[in-house]
Amino acid sequence: MAEVVLKDIRKEFGTFVALERLNVAINAGEFVALLGPSGCGKSTTLRMLAGLDFPTAGEISIDGRVVNDVAPGKRDIAMVFQSYALYPHMTVAQNIAYPLKKRGVARPERDAAVAKTATLLQLEPLLNRKPRQLSGGQQQRVALGRALVREPKVFLLDEPLSNLDAKLRSYMRAELIELHRRIGKTMVYVTHDQLEAMTMADRIAVMHDGRLQQFDEPEIIYNQPANRFVAGFIGTPSMNQLEGAIAGSSFVINGEQVPINRALYEQALKDGPVVLGIRPENVSLSGGSLPATVRLVENAGHEQIVTVEIPGGHRLLAREASGQRPSVGQTCQIGFDADFIHLFQPGENGSRFETTGQAHVIPMQAQRSASDES
């Protein structure tokens, strides 16, 4: 395993800047997810780590060695692609052994390495099959085996689960978590799926428009998003965001007041325009002071996602446990849990106002369970 460091990385394609001042330090043995929407620069970052692209500026180092100009084959990394890229005419055993064969490793050593890898990934019964005889999950494990057999210092995984159905993705997430625990190698995992990142990674690098937005543990990113983009991108459903203003100890929107715990916030919070963020699980459909009308109820079995409309035509979501189902058109007085209110600077991607210590955070296990069931 090895430390991976990207320092002041800039990547240009002609006049287009794909990455701007990217700084990420990945600890040896850590599982890090690069997360963001299409076009954010995450796959470009992975390709530069692999040596398939080169930075316009900045420095990439693996295990303390600068690799900007080092060929892919000499970086001691292995890459697993979205498409699996298995050789259709080869058996599973031959596919796994191929990287060692290219290196000139003798047949007895190759066979021993393949057997060890097949045991690790539970592929022993499949070694004589061709890729067309395998399920998607089995093909993915073969692709992982071909990377594992080389025993590289760093694994790079480019959306390896995106071609699988939802049930199989859930199974393979668990497999990858367990695999990382057993082998302890550094893994860099690219995904646009925030559930994959939240459930698998030790830390997540959230990216948008070629810039790093936040790099931290999943719990911190969920409970303390750095800005409006992170707040909206992380979480299913995503965080509600309402534009209004602070007036004393209240958030005011269209003349309606929502109490806030102003003492939680640093002195930078002044009266005036602000964006309030609140996650659906912290919105109550009763006992509050903000008038609302139910517009949509989505029954997910164990819970209900309720869309309500407040004065001014603003809509927001509430996550409610299964029970009495509200009806469309019903009026209610919604409330927000003051301990979970986030305040952001106005603007498209305003930063979050820091607090002196949020009263509560949502345990990661609870977040993961809710996301897996939704």
Side-chain angles (χ1 to χ4, degrees), residues 11 53 101 218-219 249 275 306 340 370:
K11 178 60 179 177
D53 270 325
K101 185 177 181 180
E219 292 90 341
S249 59
V275 176
V306 183
F340 294 98

Side-chain angles (χ1 to χ4, degrees), residues 231-244:
F233 193 76
I234 297 293
T236 306
S238 62
M239 182 182 289
N240 298 297
Q241 298 185 35
L242 300 172
E243 296 184 4

Side-chain angles (χ1 to χ4, degrees), residues 138-331:
Q138 290 168 337
Q139 290 185 51
Q140 184 60 78
R141 277 190 282 151
V142 175
L144 285 168
R146 191 172 54 190
L148 277 170
V149 76
R150 296 173 48 193
E151 297 189 351
K153 291 180 179 178
V154 179
F155 287 90
L156 307 178
L157 300 101
D158 189 9
E159 304 207 52
L161 308 184
S162 61
N163 289 335
L164 306 180
D165 62 43
K167 184 176 181 179
L168 194 50
R169 277 202 306 272
S170 179
Y171 171 77
M172 287 303 299
R173 285 201 307 268
E175 289 285 298
L176 282 171
I177 293 169
E178 177 62 18
L179 177 64
H180 179 252
R181 186 190 66 79
R182 291 201 302 265
I183 67 175
K185 297 282 189 176
T186 307
M187 290 188 175
V188 185
Y189 187 100
V190 161
T191 181
H192 65 274
D193 186 332
Q194 56 96 14
L195 176 58
E196 284 185 11
M198 294 289 283
T199 54
M200 296 170 65
D202 298 317
R203 287 193 294 166
I204 302 172
V206 183
M207 302 175 67
H208 180 51
D209 287 343
R211 293 180 179 271
L212 181 67
Q213 304 295 311
Q214 190 168 1
F215 184 37
D216 220 318
E217 298 173 7
E219 292 90 341
I220 294 175
I221 286 178
Y222 189 87
N223 290 299
Q224 302 171 33
N227 54 44
R228 293 185 65 185
F229 172 79
V230 177
F233 193 76
I234 297 293
T236 306
S238 62
M239 182 182 289
N240 298 297
Q241 298 185 35
L242 300 172
E243 296 184 4
I246 293 295
S249 59
S250 296
F251 170 78
V252 182
I253 179 169
N254 290 105
E256 303 291 340
Q257 295 187 346
V258 176
I260 64 166
N261 186 354
R262 187 158 184 163
L264 277 176
Y265 297 89
E266 62 181 14
Q267 293 182 350
L269 180 62
K270 308 295 183 184
D271 284 1
V274 74
V275 176
L276 181 147
I278 187 78
R279 293 207 179 273
E281 56 266 32
N282 303 128
V283 177
S284 172
L285 296 183
S286 61
S289 59
L290 192 59
T293 303
V294 175
R295 295 304 185 197
L296 178 67
V297 180
E298 299 172 89
N299 186 5
H302 67 292
E303 67 179 10
Q304 300 169 110
I305 305 300
V306 183
T307 302
V308 298
E309 185 175 309
I310 62 175
H314 304 285
R315 293 196 174 195
L316 63 155
L317 301 178
R319 188 197 295 265
E320 293 283 309
S322 292
Q324 186 174 359
R325 185 174 181 176
S327 57
V328 174
Q330 175 183 331
T331 58

Side-chain angles (χ1 to χ4, degrees), residues 24 58 75 77 80 83 95 102 112 118 142 158 165 174 184 186 207 209 305 310-311 334 374:
V24 173
R75 295 192 179 199
I77 55 97
V80 179
S83 62
N95 265 283
K102 279 194 67 177
V142 175
D158 189 9
D165 62 43
T186 307
M207 302 175 67
D209 287 343
I305 305 300
I310 62 175
I334 66 171
S374 63

